Amino acid sequence: MSAVNKITEIFRNFVPEYLERFGSSIPSEHRKAITAILTCRTDGHGLLYYECEKCGEMHVAFRSCGNRHCPACQNHKTRQWMVRQMKRQLPGHHFMVTFTVPSELWDVIRKNQKKCYAIMFAASSQAMGELIAKGRHVKGDASGFFGVLHTWGRQI
Ligand SMILES: [Zn+2]
């Protein structure tokens, strides 16, 4: 089973419980993403008819959802992003620093995403700047960093 199919299966198995547990506190954007992922490449998004250049036959396929959070639709874009980031990589040492948020704040963040994400990026950027300035943990002639919001944990 592919990773995309696994994620869709996880959604099918746990979305009802998730919706029941968090109900009205789920942002509408999350509901849209959940619906898109669950219905991606099903008849929920219609059918696509195309003529194959090799065999000349007409084929029918389910349309994808196009939601930016859908792993099926965005897998190729994620890979393209990775390739672009790798090309931007400067010669030298690199490492990843992960900033996490205590679970007690998850609900507050869920309800105030725009403000909270801005605060998280500002705080993590400030912390990285201070570490670099002190030179105790990060050394080098030219240190730099960029931030990526990662809302799914390793266990999804
Ligand atoms: Zn999709």
Side-chain angles (χ1 to χ4, degrees), residues 36 40 64-67 70 72-73:
C40 187
S64 54
C65 69
N67 188 291
C70 175
C73 292

Side-chain angles (χ1 to χ4, degrees), residues 5-79:
N5 289 339
K6 284 181 185 173
I7 291 171
T8 302
E9 186 177 316
I10 289 168
F11 269 63
R12 287 201 176 105
N13 289 334
F14 296 102
V15 157
E17 181 184 333
Y18 177 76
L19 295 175
E20 188 177 316
R21 183 172 171 191
F22 294 104
S24 61
S25 72
I26 301 171
S28 63
E29 194 66 28
H30 290 194
R31 287 183 181 276
K32 287 179 190 171
I34 289 168
T35 301
I37 291 168
L38 287 173
T39 58
C40 187
R41 297 180 184 176
T42 68
D43 57 359
H45 292 280
L47 298 171
L48 178 69
Y49 296 87
Y50 66 96
E51 183 177 343
C52 177
E53 290 179 7
K54 288 184 179 175
C55 70
E57 295 288 321
M58 289 297 293
H59 297 277
V60 181
F62 292 122
R63 293 179 58 109
S64 54
C65 69
N67 188 291
R68 71 185 186 100
H69 301 288
C70 175
C73 292
Q74 302 306 318
N75 192 31
H76 71 286
K77 287 188 177 180
T78 301
R79 289 177 196 265

